[in-house]
Structures are given as C-alpha cells and as structure tokens.
Amino acid sequence: MSEFKVTRYKLRAEESGRRGPDAPFSLVVLSDLHNKSYGDRNGRLLQEIREQNPAAVLVAGDMLTSSDSPQYDAAVSLMDELTKRYPVYYANGNHEQRLKGCPEKYGDSYARYSDTIRSFGVHLLENGCEHVEFWHMQVAIWGYELPLECYRRGRMRALAAGQVESALGERSQKEYNILLAHNPMYFPAYAAWGADLTLSGHMHGGIVRLPVLGGVISPQFRLFPKYTRGLYELDGKKMIVSAGLGSHTIPLRINNPAQLVVLDIV
Ligand SMILES: [Fe+2]
C-alpha cells in the first residue's frame, strides 16, 4: 500500500508586506494526483485533509493523466467530496491542458471533465483569478496556464514576466497574491510578475532523490532540475513545489515520498 507524507510550511503574510489574518488558518495544496486513489474514492487522502481542517483547497494541476483514453474517475470523485466541505481553487497542469488543447486527439474529454468539476463548485482558474478573504486577510488566487510548448522535451523555452502578465493581467497591489503555476521551472518569471507565493508541482520531486544533489530527473527528462520539491525564495518571493501525490510514465519514487502540502498562514 503506497502512502503519502504531510509536509507543513508556516508562512507569515507580513513578510510580503501584506496584512496577515486575524487568526492563523491552513490551506491544503494538492498536485499531480494523476488519477490515483488512496483507498476507495480517495478515502485516506480525504481523511487526512479533514484532519488538517483547511480554509480552502488549492490544486496545482495534473489531477489526471492524458492518454489515449484518459481516466479521471478518481480525480472527479475527489473533487466531488472536497467541494462538499471546502472552497476548491484549481489550476490546470500540462495533462489537463493537453486534453483541452488537442480535442482532435482527446475528443470532448476536457469539456466533460471541466464541466463536471465546475458543476460541483470547483473554481477552475484558466488564466483567471478569484478574490478571497480569510479572517480579514485579502488574498488573490490566480491560476496560470503556461504555453504548452514550455513542457516540451529538449531545450527549455524562455518565459518572460511580461508573458505571465499578458495571460493574467497585473497582479493585485493590495492583496496577497497566490499563484497556482504547475511548472516550477519558470519561478523567476512568476516572481518578477509579482506572485507573493507560487505553488507548483509537475516535477514529482525529481522521481529519485539523492543526498545533497536532490531530485534527479524531470518529467521532460532533464537531469537535476533546479526546482523539484520544497520551499524556494527569490527577491522576497516564495515558491513551494509539491512532490505530488501520484505518478505516470515513470511509476517510481525513490527516497521521494508522495506528498500532501499544508500551508499554515499567520
Ligand atoms: Fe505535470
């Protein structure tokens, strides 16, 4: 039976120059489930999330896997259960984007998936933003869709902060900006755009982790990618990369447990 580990991060909103909440609160971050189920209808994952008592659930993409016949029953049932208890903010990963961008290959899979989870009340942020208040702390939650060519194998495509802004618009001046951006490799562009906190996944922790060297390989088969798992900082901006909950293509994790990320915001 494979399991996951809970990793907590404490974040002080005032470090970003924003007003913090009147009382601490938690957010749960899900990434890269790839349609895996921990128990029937993800019962064990849901139980752990309930124990964290989050104010909201944030999804950083790849809840399903694009394939010739994409399966997303576990992802759908998880969204169904989560939305009964929490607001859920969801940004697509490359797998959802592939379904959306290639209807000639995947038919209406994306329309059916996205319509279904929206019908539950999921806030699907396709280059969009929702404004939320948690205990008087003003938060803008953004979902960014990176151009699909940035996920291709081979040489890494460049991305400028201006491209993030042309997709999303200007970041909020008054609110704490949380950016759900599936691919962490473009952290400099996200930070330059103005994300106070970026939440990413995609790297599956580097699949195999070595002491000192960290994650070995990215899903694009790049060796020793820079951002694979954990907290990173750049010019006062933060990024947390989840090692994800599932896997695909290389169904392997060595020294790299699946992960449920919990943020404690104070
Ligand atoms: Fe991904």
Side-chain angles (χ1 to χ4, degrees), residues 150-218:
C150 292
Y151 289 103
R152 290 212 188 108
R153 289 172 193 163
R155 193 171 60 84
M156 191 175 141
R157 271 66 175 176
L159 184 82
Q163 285 174 269
V164 182
E165 184 159 326
S166 61
L168 294 179
E170 230 182 278
R171 62 101 194 235
S172 170
Q173 300 292 332
K174 293 182 185 157
E175 296 157 296
Y176 183 75
N177 292 278
I178 297 179
L179 177 65
L180 303 172
H182 182 65
N183 188 340
M185 292 307 288
Y186 298 95
F187 180 35
Y190 309 147
W193 171 74
D196 298 300
L197 174 66
T198 298
L199 300 171
S200 294
H202 184 56
M203 291 296 182
H204 300 187
I207 301 177
V208 175
R209 293 190 71 81
L210 300 177
V212 184
L213 294 173
V216 169
I217 193 166
S218 80

Side-chain angles (χ1 to χ4, degrees), residues 70-87:
Q71 302 295 313
Y72 40 76
D73 53 322
V76 165
S77 71
L78 180 61
M79 293 303 129
D80 186 12
E81 293 301 323
L82 288 172
T83 47
K84 289 173 186 166
R85 290 170 177 264
Y86 317 105

Side-chain angles (χ1 to χ4, degrees), residues 32 34 62 94-95 182 202:
D32 298 274
H34 289 292
D62 279 5
N94 52 314
H95 283 261
H182 182 65
H202 184 56

Side-chain angles (χ1 to χ4, degrees), residues 102-252:
C102 307
E104 63 283 4
K105 183 169 181 190
Y106 300 112
D108 63 352
S109 294
Y110 182 75
R112 284 190 284 128
Y113 177 69
S114 57
D115 287 352
T116 302
I117 64 171
R118 274 200 172 105
S119 75
F120 300 148
V122 168
H123 302 267
L124 188 55
L125 303 171
E126 300 172 281
N127 286 329
C129 177
E130 295 272 349
H131 304 275
V132 192
E133 189 178 297
F134 299 108
W135 285 268
H136 294 118
M137 178 179 170
Q138 310 292 324
V139 180
I141 304 174
W142 304 81
Y144 178 51
E145 296 198 344
L146 196 63
L148 268 176
E149 62 261 27
C150 292
Y151 289 103
R152 290 212 188 108
R153 289 172 193 163
R155 193 171 60 84
M156 191 175 141
R157 271 66 175 176
L159 184 82
Q163 285 174 269
V164 182
E165 184 159 326
S166 61
L168 294 179
E170 230 182 278
R171 62 101 194 235
S172 170
Q173 300 292 332
K174 293 182 185 157
E175 296 157 296
Y176 183 75
N177 292 278
I178 297 179
L179 177 65
L180 303 172
H182 182 65
N183 188 340
M185 292 307 288
Y186 298 95
F187 180 35
Y190 309 147
W193 171 74
D196 298 300
L197 174 66
T198 298
L199 300 171
S200 294
H202 184 56
M203 291 296 182
H204 300 187
I207 301 177
V208 175
R209 293 190 71 81
L210 300 177
V212 184
L213 294 173
V216 169
I217 193 166
S218 80
Q220 273 71 50
F221 299 108
R222 289 196 188 94
L223 289 173
F224 299 106
K226 189 167 183 179
Y227 309 109
T228 52
R229 178 181 188 129
L231 172 68
Y232 301 88
E233 295 199 48
L234 181 65
D235 299 332
K237 310 294 187 192
K238 292 183 166 65
M239 174 172 73
I240 291 169
V241 181
S242 167
L245 287 155
S247 60
H248 67 93
T249 313
I250 310 175
L252 178 73

